[in-house]
Amino acid sequence: MAETMTKTAVEKEKLEWFGPKERKLITDPLNDDNPVTVQILGVCSALAVTTMLKPALIMAIAVTVVTGFSNLVISLMRNGIPKQIRMIVQLVVIAFLVTVVEQVLKAYSYPVWKQLSVFIGLIITNCIVMGRLEAYAMANPPWRSFLDGLGNGAGYGLILIAVAAIREFFGRGAFMGYKILGATDEFLLNTSKHWWLSWYQPNGLMVIPASAIFLVGIFIWIQRSRNPKLVDVS
Amino acid sequence: MDNLLNIFIKSAFIENMVLAYFIGMCSFLAVSKSVKTAIGLGAAVIFVLALTVPINWVISELVLGPNGIFKTDLTFLRFILFIASIAASVQLVEMAVEKYSPSLYNALGIFLPLITVNCAILGAALFMVAREYNFAESVVYGIGSGFGWALAIIAMAAIREKIRYSHVPAPLRGLGIAFILTGLMGMAFMALMGINPATYMQQ
């Protein structure tokens, strides 16, 4: 009896569009359950595209679209997929969505596509997408799965954008491609002309891929010292 | 022959998947807690890469390319076919290993199916296309990049086993220090091609 009661309660809950649970699905992955810093999902492609902000922004949008819609599609099909071939079905859905995103990008923003081509392809094997499908979409209704996908894509994008902004500013003295600080006249602030800025040197470390990994490590440090629940006790 | 040796050294050390391109990081960070499992996963990755890179070369040349059996450019189907062939060959490898060598199968455990979603496998196939290797080169490239990946994960696991005895700040323990270690190892590997930020600026 109690079981049926809880079951109907769960079913009633499903009808809400933006209840507290749904909002939590979006906000949780931004901090407490961040895919990159907590779940270790999607680190792979996160690091190579973060030298500049613009490709990182596009990558973040692409991943959010793919996670959201693949969660939605798999959640709609979840009762019809045989267990043995579920991985292949999931991969085909993901690969289809990634191909769509890639072709759209190729059509509307060719230079960015050229820069990102291999990494857009790697969204297929980005563990975020598959990880969320396995962990959430296979067992939950479509609308919630969609929100969960969007939330996790956004949490991934947040890290990506933060890393890219820091790397672009300190490594190249630029922001979104606008040159701000540098030693030539191309830059907004020509450091060689102001005596109080003449000490400025761009930080070469930030251009090197390894810096992205240091930054994520430091983000994890900051996040865990602010939120002791996440600290690794083992 | 020189060329093949060159590709092997280059893919294993200089352009190491994990430490130079930071591809295949998820399982690299998640499974590098003990040397024993790292060796198992490393061996499985070498095997799967040596198998799938040539298979994907055949697919991209004979099926998708303009000179293939359909005589049309089908490269937009590349992702779907590549990932399907990878998933299928991992499944086949799993079944074969289970049948002929149950001890190895038990040792590898869940790592075999996990390899399907290791970015390094698809990444190697895509790099193989981007660099226009021929068949022999793609075989060597598959083995070389698998070897490099295995080397990286075993080294990482060894370091992480030792670091348990050091005083790492509590919030940095586990994942945080693993990230920073990977970055340091990456910088060490960069010494193989020379550390010059100017070359990265142009990208």
Side-chain angles (χ1 to χ4, degrees):
Chain A
M1 190 62 200
E3 244 187 306
T4 51
M5 286 277 281
T6 50
K7 250 189 181 170
T8 49
V10 167
E11 268 160 25
K12 260 186 192 164
E13 236 176 29
K14 275 184 208 163
L15 296 172
E16 268 188 272
W17 287 89
F18 281 107
K21 277 208 165 166
E22 280 74 13
R23 257 174 286 156
K24 220 169 143 44
L25 284 175
I26 295 262
T27 53
D28 249 12
L30 295 182
N31 186 10
D32 281 3
D33 199 20
N34 190 288
V36 179
T37 60
V38 181
Q39 305 176 43
I40 335 182
L41 293 177
V43 189
C44 336
S45 56
L47 304 164
V49 297
T50 50
T51 47
M52 279 181 282
L53 194 52
K54 207 177 158 203
L57 208 61
I58 288 172
M59 189 72 180
I61 295 169
V63 169
T64 310
V65 168
V66 173
T67 44
F69 283 96
S70 64
N71 261 11
L72 178 70
V73 172
I74 290 292
S75 173
L76 284 171
M77 305 198 304
R78 70 185 187 280
N79 295 326
I81 303 176
K83 207 173 175 338
Q84 291 83 5
I85 60 156
R86 70 174 196 289
M87 280 197 141
I88 294 178
V89 174
Q90 289 168 355
L91 280 173
V92 169
V93 170
I94 299 168
F96 168 74
L97 285 165
V98 171
T99 311
V100 170
V101 167
E102 198 219 4
Q103 297 293 324
V104 169
L105 204 61
K106 196 176 173 182
Y108 289 101
S109 176
Y110 189 76
V112 178
W113 173 79
K114 248 194 131 159
Q115 196 184 354
L116 287 179
S117 58
V118 170
F119 297 102
I120 291 283
L122 287 179
I123 297 177
I124 299 173
T125 46
N126 193 324
C127 344
I128 283 189
V129 188
M130 193 104 171
R132 292 325 292 174
L133 290 182
E134 281 284 298
Y136 200 89
M138 288 299 281
N140 285 283
W143 173 245
R144 281 196 183 173
S145 304
F146 183 59
L147 289 180
D148 179 80
L150 289 185
N152 276 285
Y156 167 88
L158 193 72
I159 297 290
L160 216 61
I161 288 165
V163 172
I166 293 175
R167 284 183 73 186
E168 191 179 7
F169 184 74
F170 288 102
R172 295 161 195 255
F175 184 79
M176 278 298 270
Y178 296 107
K179 300 187 166 172
I180 295 172
L181 271 175
T184 54
D185 268 334
E186 286 178 300
F187 292 90
L188 195 67
L189 256 179
N190 188 342
T191 50
S192 58
K193 283 189 184 159
H194 300 279
W195 62 270
W196 48 277
L197 271 175
S198 53
W199 50 270
Y200 176 81
Q201 279 281 325
N203 184 350
L205 179 70
M206 286 294 164
V207 185
I208 290 166
S211 70
I213 256 183
F214 290 134
L215 286 175
V216 176
I218 291 167
F219 286 167
I220 291 175
W221 191 359
I222 295 170
Q223 189 190 16
R224 291 191 179 182
S225 49
R226 293 174 64 99
N227 192 348
K229 259 190 320 203
L230 301 172
V231 171
D232 199 342
V233 276
S234 65
Chain B
M1 200 58 212
D2 265 8
N3 182 26
L4 295 184
L5 191 67
N6 208 345
I7 287 178
F8 181 83
I9 302 281
K10 209 173 160 190
S11 57
F13 298 104
I14 301 171
E15 295 181 341
N16 188 294
M17 278 285 172
V18 187
L19 299 174
Y21 287 112
F22 298 107
I23 285 175
M25 290 282 299
C26 310
S27 35
F28 176 78
L29 288 169
V31 187
S32 60
K33 279 184 183 149
S34 84
V35 173
K36 215 176 155 197
T37 47
I39 291 175
L41 186 65
V45 166
I46 295 178
F47 189 66
V48 171
L49 266 174
L51 196 71
T52 56
V53 174
I55 289 177
N56 283 329
W57 183 88
V58 171
I59 289 179
S60 77
E61 286 293 311
L62 301 184
V63 181
L64 298 177
N67 303 320
I69 41 176
F70 296 111
K71 301 280 174 212
T72 38
D73 190 17
L74 295 172
T75 40
F76 65 93
L77 288 174
R78 191 185 284 152
F79 295 152
I80 291 184
L81 280 186
F82 274 15
I83 198 68
S85 84
I86 288 171
S89 38
V90 170
Q91 192 92 57
L92 278 180
V93 167
E94 194 188 357
M95 290 192 311
V97 172
E98 190 180 9
K99 179 131 196 277
Y100 295 110
S101 170
S103 58
L104 180 63
Y105 181 77
N106 287 332
L108 289 178
I110 54 156
F111 299 131
L112 264 178
L114 268 186
I115 290 172
T116 320
V117 282
N118 187 335
C119 333
I121 311 288
L122 186 66
L126 294 175
F127 277 127
M128 173 269 296
V129 172
R131 292 177 191 162
E132 297 173 347
Y133 286 143
N134 63 29
F135 185 74
E137 286 169 344
S138 69
V139 174
V140 174
Y141 178 69
I143 298 172
S145 50
F147 181 74
W149 198 91
L151 195 76
I153 194 173
I154 294 167
M156 183 68 183
I159 297 176
R160 281 181 80 174
E161 276 191 357
K162 291 280 176 211
I163 213 161
R164 247 175 249 159
Y165 305 108
S166 334
H167 294 286
V168 179
L172 203 56
R173 225 167 269 165
L175 191 58
I177 197 74
F179 266 96
I180 289 173
L181 277 174
T182 315
L184 289 173
M185 284 169 75
M187 288 191 72
F189 262 67
M190 271 172 52
L192 292 170
M193 43 181 169
I195 304 177
N196 184 4
T199 54
Y200 290 99
M201 286 289 250
Q202 286 156 8
Q203 282 171 7

